[in-house]
Amino acid sequence: MTDTKKVKMVNIALPKGRLGDKVYDMFEKAGFECPSIKEKNRKLVFENPDAGVRYFWVKPSDVAIYVERGAADIGVVGKDILMEARSNVYELLDLNVGKCRMAVAGPEGFRYDRDNELRVATKFVNVAREFYAASGTDIDIIHLNGSIELAPILGLSDVIVDLVETGTTLRENHLEVVEEIAKISARLIANKSSFKFKTKQIETITQKLEEIIE
Ligand code: PRP
């Protein structure tokens, strides 16, 4: 490998898991294959100098941190995580996968009584705060890390702000969407200074991915 090639390698943070596998397949289809990534092992870094790419498997919620701080030049992350973290990165492309909705949900037939503070359980504290601030609604945020749907069932909260994909979790727990906040999907993001120094490589990857988006 020449030094020039080393310098021009694009470091890509992929979200570990089902979405990441799907996203890697898109990169492969776009011409940035890295066969070693498909080997069954616990390695986290894979590179193909000929294609000019180095992939890292990163916890999905950490992708934006790697990219924002320049440990990765580009990465793929859910819009939900970007909205919550307000990451200082460029959002280059909507990959049209990992699609779901960010929504307020509550018990079936729930009606909000404006006289009382609304208790909102969520992983997405910033998104929820911003959403309710826009309508001047007083809320009490309960920050949970998972199984958010449990909160209204047990009376811990009135509503939740969470992701809804198929709607099964809500249905099976007698909850329903009260209001949609945003449509979510996976986004290609870039570190701002990497974009300046590796413009051509990053733009090529973006264009090739754009061509194969369904
Ligand atoms: C997510 C989300 C909902 C569920 C929505 O949870 O927080 O609970 O998926 O999917 P559905 O509409 O298809 O049922 P996840 O499985 O990531 O686990 P968590 O409860 O730990 O957040």
Side-chain angles (χ1 to χ4, degrees), residues 22-31 95 97 209 212-213:
K22 207 172 192 175
V23 166
Y24 168 73
D25 288 343
M26 292 176 75
F27 276 84
E28 187 179 77
K29 205 167 160 197
L95 294 174
V97 290
L209 282 172
I212 57 118
I213 286 173

Side-chain angles (χ1 to χ4, degrees), residues 123-124 145-149 162-170:
K123 266 192 275 198
F124 304 99
N145 296 298
S147 300
I148 317 294
E149 291 83 357
D162 201 12
L163 297 178
V164 182
E165 192 184 349
T166 59
T168 309
T169 314
L170 291 184

Side-chain angles (χ1 to χ4, degrees), residues 60-61 161 202 210:
S61 52
V161 166
I202 293 176
E210 200 167 8

Side-chain angles (χ1 to χ4, degrees), residues 25-178:
D25 288 343
M26 292 176 75
F27 276 84
E28 187 179 77
K29 205 167 160 197
F32 304 97
E33 74 284 349
C34 183
S36 61
I37 209 167
K38 299 240 161 143
E39 289 164 10
K40 288 257 168 291
N41 57 41
R42 304 273 298 165
K43 275 173 64 178
L44 298 171
V45 182
F46 303 87
E47 61 179 50
N48 179 0
D50 295 330
V53 286
R54 183 185 290 120
Y55 293 101
F56 316 128
W57 286 129
V58 172
K59 196 176 152 85
S61 52
D62 290 342
V63 167
I65 299 171
Y66 280 80
V67 174
E68 185 170 26
R69 291 177 171 264
D73 299 308
I74 60 174
V76 174
V77 63
K79 180 71 180 172
D80 52 322
I81 293 164
L82 285 181
M83 285 167 70
E84 179 62 18
R86 300 161 177 163
S87 311
N88 186 19
V89 294
Y90 290 133
E91 197 180 307
L92 302 177
L93 195 59
D94 182 345
L95 294 174
N96 207 28
V97 290
K99 291 192 343 191
C100 57
R101 302 185 283 161
M102 174 88 72
V104 177
E108 285 162 3
F110 172 78
R111 292 279 166 275
Y112 168 45
D113 164 14
R114 277 201 157 264
D115 295 338
N116 292 318
E117 198 178 47
L118 185 69
R119 295 170 305 150
V120 183
T122 187
K123 266 192 275 198
F124 304 99
V125 169
N126 293 326
V127 173
R129 281 217 174 90
E130 201 173 312
F131 178 73
Y132 282 108
S135 59
T137 307
D138 283 338
I139 58 165
D140 176 14
I141 289 266
I142 299 151
H143 187 183
L144 298 179
N145 296 298
S147 300
I148 317 294
E149 291 83 357
L150 206 49
I153 295 173
L154 300 184
L156 177 64
S157 76
D158 301 309
V159 293
I160 61 173
V161 166
D162 201 12
L163 297 178
V164 182
E165 192 184 349
T166 59
T168 309
T169 314
L170 291 184
R171 250 189 328 274
E172 294 192 353
N173 291 289
H174 306 290
L175 304 172
E176 63 188 13
V177 169
V178 176

